[in-house]
Amino acid sequence: MSTTQSDRLRGLVEPLVAAKGLDLEEIETSRAGRRGLLRIVVDSDEGVELDACAELSRAISEKLDETDAMGEGEYVLEVSSPGADRPLTEHRHYVRATGRLTKLQLVEGGDLVTRILAVDEDGIDTEVPGVKGRKPTARRVEFAEIAKARVEIEFNRKDKKEEEA
């Protein structure tokens, strides 16, 4: 996608996304045979429900039909939330991942699997799970130390409602 098309699409889509109280995370275009594919990823602090994606998809579709931002050919529009194991690239991603288990690739080398406890402007306070009966340990990780970060999927994780019960 050319920068001009990307900027134009972002300019058209971002106000619609913001009007729904969501953050625009990603815009991606590609080809699927003769059709174009426009994938838009949105998120919020509370997550994104399917109904919100459907409403936003209709609004974006109407806006795109009014313009030639996608050209003359056919295209498929996908509006979704990020996957459960999406990379953490923005400060708000770390805030939203508070309480979640994450895998950090450190700049100095090596990986760290840890649970995010708190986030501030400079880094994250985490808890490294104990291994073989050992107690978890606290660890501070500055953002400058993190090369890549991704939420780890936990199948046996208790949600907040279960913990409060």
Side-chain angles (χ1 to χ4, degrees):
M1 169 167 59
S2 71
T3 303
T4 307
Q5 184 187 27
S6 175
D7 292 342
R8 185 163 184 213
L9 286 170
R10 185 169 287 280
L12 290 170
V13 169
E14 205 153 28
L16 299 172
V17 173
K20 299 285 184 192
L22 303 172
D23 295 318
L24 179 60
E25 296 291 343
E26 185 180 339
I27 294 180
E28 178 186 325
T29 60
S30 60
R31 301 292 310 161
R34 287 185 272 132
R35 294 183 179 165
L37 173 63
L38 174 58
R39 181 173 291 125
I40 298 173
V41 179
V42 296
D43 202 5
S44 79
D45 291 344
E46 296 79 34
V48 182
E49 295 195 10
L50 187 57
D51 289 344
C53 284
E55 288 175 26
L56 185 58
S57 180
R58 285 189 290 277
I60 291 171
S61 181
E62 287 175 17
K63 187 63 143 179
L64 292 175
D65 288 348
E66 295 171 6
T67 69
D68 65 344
M70 287 301 293
E72 295 297 318
E74 295 179 15
Y75 67 91
V76 174
L77 173 62
E78 289 182 8
V79 177
S80 65
S81 62
D85 64 342
R86 65 105 173 259
L88 305 175
T89 58
E90 303 282 336
H91 183 269
R92 68 178 177 264
H93 297 163
Y94 289 92
V95 172
R96 290 174 183 160
T98 299
R100 304 283 309 269
L101 195 64
T102 58
K103 182 176 184 178
L104 309 176
Q105 276 186 346
L106 303 176
V107 171
E108 66 193 28
D111 292 339
L112 177 64
V113 176
T114 187
R115 187 170 310 280
I116 297 176
L117 300 177
V119 181
D120 61 33
E121 294 304 314
D122 300 317
I124 55 178
D125 294 322
T126 71
E127 179 181 81
V128 179
V131 180
K132 295 184 180 177
R134 292 190 184 131
K135 292 184 178 184
T137 56
R139 178 163 176 184
R140 170 75 180 178
V141 182
E142 301 294 324
F143 289 125
E145 298 176 65
I146 302 171
K148 292 182 181 178
R150 180 176 300 276
V151 171
E152 291 283 283
I153 297 173
E154 295 179 85
F155 293 106
N156 60 351
R157 179 176 172 247
K158 290 181 180 178
D159 65 13
K160 290 179 184 175
K161 292 176 188 170
E162 287 180 45
E163 290 175 3
E164 292 170 1

